[in-house]
Amino acid sequence: MHIPGGPDGRRMLAVTFVDKTGSGLWAATAALYFTYVAGLGTAEIGLLLGVSGAAGIAGPPLGGLLADRVPLRPLLAGVQLLRAAASLALLTTTDLPLLTAIAAAGSLGDRASSVLTKLYATRIAGPDRSRYQAVNRTVSNLGWAVGGLVAAAALTTGTTATYRWLLTGDALSFVAIALLTLRCGEPPSPARVVATGGKGARAGAPAAGERTPALAAGEKTLAPAAGENTAAPGPSPWRDRRYLAYTATEAVLFLDDSVFNVGLALWAVTATTLPHGLVPLLLVLNNVLVVCFQVPFARFGSTPAKARRTLLPLAAAFLTGAAALAASATGTRWLAATTLILAAVAFTVAEMLHATVSWELSVALAPPTAQGAYLGVHGLAQAAQRSAGPLAVTGAIAAGPLGWLGLGAGLAVICLAQRRLTRDDDGTAMSVPGLTVSEH
């Protein structure tokens, strides 16, 4: 399989696999660790996770802002070491305030790492970024599965030492990916481009409206001298009303995450006749479909225009999944099983389509000289969804079948709104005319 980005692209896929394997170890045991090792109660665990999650919201914009000002590779490695230090520090105390502060630092690093990894991939993959993202999501799902299986096997012992070793494994995975990251090259930056045949002259930032020159064969990035200003400050995403509105729509479309993590299982066991033992198989089906089809789905977002057109089938997938969930509560066990499988497939299709569309449009709408800052703001969409998404999904469950139909209709309307939002005034393309991230 061709991997965009060459050797660095392959190394970053290894980073993703090791990262998600370690994260799978911790995700499967976090609540148990805080309960049986740290001795926290349910309310205390909820407070710890809530506060640390809120602190992590600052990670994407902070990481993206720094990425436009300093070399990306050492910044990403440093963030991974922050995550490692936070994981190891959890082993040193059972005090709730200290655990909360440590978890907050880890959450900050985790969210920053996500946007910095995406930015690195964007810079090395160029016009093949959609395919790279698809391969990356496939590897990510494999890593989560491996980590979860290892954790499940280890937890059969049920000892506190096992929980500590799993957390240690998570920390060591961050050290490993920091070392792997340092083996990668510094990706080309729009503000630091020179030709090897020249005398080291540095290309400055493009003037307003000017296309950034492409990196041709034989070109490389030039690290700035000590004290040198690498580029004039790029435009601020906080003043870009279109990008902020786009990010707000993204926060809604990321609800597929809460549907799978919260809604599907809760609805199946409270509102349908499906045997409880079959519920985990719906999540397995989601993972299998992503691993098998995310890469082929990359073609739906290979250009900004294709990504924008894909918002229509994305709306249809959301409507189909929501309608299937509504129907699952109105019949026999066989009808419940059939409609829940249909819902899982439809929401998985929506997940894969949205991942492809989101990757392409979030980059295409960002000016090259401020990619980091813009993608950092875009990262707030997922952070906001993780906080508000479970409330929206449980609200739909409380409202019954009509709640799911309303949620599906709302998601479809947001797809149509985003399609209109991301067109140019002539109704054809994107807000950054004729520019792709390959043009550094």
Side-chain angles (χ1 to χ4, degrees):
M1 177 189 295
H2 168 66
I3 304 297
D8 285 339
R10 290 189 288 272
R11 291 190 187 99
M12 289 307 294
L13 289 177
V15 166
T16 294
F17 180 78
V18 175
D19 184 358
K20 300 309 179 186
T21 299
S23 297
L25 293 175
W26 176 238
T29 57
L32 298 175
Y33 177 87
F34 288 128
T35 300
Y36 297 112
V37 178
L40 301 182
T42 302
E44 291 175 317
I45 294 174
L47 176 64
L48 184 152
L49 296 178
V51 172
S52 62
I57 292 176
L62 180 60
L65 189 66
L66 289 173
D68 285 332
R69 288 160 170 75
V70 300
L72 181 54
R73 183 187 61 164
L75 175 62
L76 182 54
V79 168
Q80 309 296 19
L81 291 177
L82 169 63
R83 298 169 75 194
S87 293
L88 289 174
L90 289 174
L91 294 167
T92 65
T93 182
T94 59
D95 180 69
L96 177 60
L98 281 177
L99 286 172
T100 302
I102 294 167
S107 180
L108 187 75
D110 180 67
R111 304 285 177 85
S113 168
S114 179
V115 74
L116 292 176
T117 302
K118 176 180 178 179
L119 181 60
Y120 190 101
T122 296
R123 289 180 176 176
I124 65 171
D128 288 334
R129 59 180 178 264
S130 291
R131 179 175 176 81
Y132 184 90
Q133 185 263 359
V135 176
N136 187 72
R137 289 197 81 238
T138 301
V139 172
S140 177
N141 273 267
L142 288 172
W144 276 108
V146 170
L149 289 173
V150 171
L155 288 175
T156 57
T157 63
T159 64
T160 57
T162 299
Y163 299 127
R164 294 182 181 275
W165 278 113
L166 289 172
L167 180 53
T168 302
D170 184 34
L172 292 177
S173 75
F174 299 141
V175 175
I177 60 179
L179 295 176
L180 282 172
T181 299
L182 291 175
R183 292 189 60 194
C184 297
E186 179 67 23
S189 170
R192 295 190 299 271
V193 181
V194 295
T196 56
K199 299 296 182 181
R202 178 176 164 276
E210 179 183 352
R211 290 170 66 91
T212 313
L215 262 182
E219 290 186 334
K220 64 180 182 180
T221 57
L222 179 65
E228 180 185 0
N229 184 20
T230 59
S236 170
W238 299 106
R239 297 180 180 178
D240 188 332
R241 288 180 292 178
R242 174 182 285 192
Y243 201 84
L244 291 176
Y246 167 71
T247 299
T249 62
E250 284 285 88
V252 179
L253 297 186
F254 276 119
L255 276 174
D256 62 81
D257 181 64
S258 289
V259 168
F260 276 108
N261 290 335
V262 179
L264 196 60
L266 189 58
W267 176 257
V269 299
T270 60
T272 78
T273 56
L274 187 75
H276 293 187
L278 298 180
V279 173
L281 297 181
L282 298 175
L283 303 182
V284 172
L285 176 61
N286 168 257
N287 285 326
V288 170
L289 289 175
V290 171
V291 169
C292 292
F293 295 106
Q294 185 67 75
V295 173
F297 270 45
R299 68 180 185 272
F300 296 114
S302 57
T303 67
K306 287 183 178 179
R308 186 171 170 270
R309 288 197 296 268
T310 301
L311 286 166
L312 291 179
L314 176 59
F318 277 131
L319 278 173
T320 301
L325 284 175
S328 66
T330 61
T332 64
R333 177 174 295 184
W334 286 107
L335 178 60
T338 301
T339 51
L340 283 170
I341 291 172
L342 175 59
V345 172
F347 274 108
T348 301
V349 169
E351 174 189 342
M352 292 187 290
L353 289 176
H354 180 238
T356 299
V357 170
S358 177
W359 177 279
E360 180 65 21
L361 296 186
S362 63
V363 174
L365 287 166
T369 55
Q371 270 183 1
Y374 271 69
L375 293 182
V377 167
H378 181 261
L380 290 174
Q382 280 184 303
Q385 189 281 141
R386 288 174 182 172
S387 297
L391 295 176
V393 169
T394 53
I397 292 174
L402 289 179
W404 284 117
L405 292 175
L407 182 66
L411 289 168
V413 168
I414 293 297
C415 289
L416 299 179
Q418 189 176 105
R419 188 171 187 268
R420 180 176 180 83
L421 183 68
T422 54
R423 71 177 184 179
D424 276 345
D425 291 338
D426 61 2
T428 57
M430 307 300 300
S431 66
V432 184
L435 195 59
T436 68
V437 293
S438 62
E439 297 167 329
H440 290 305

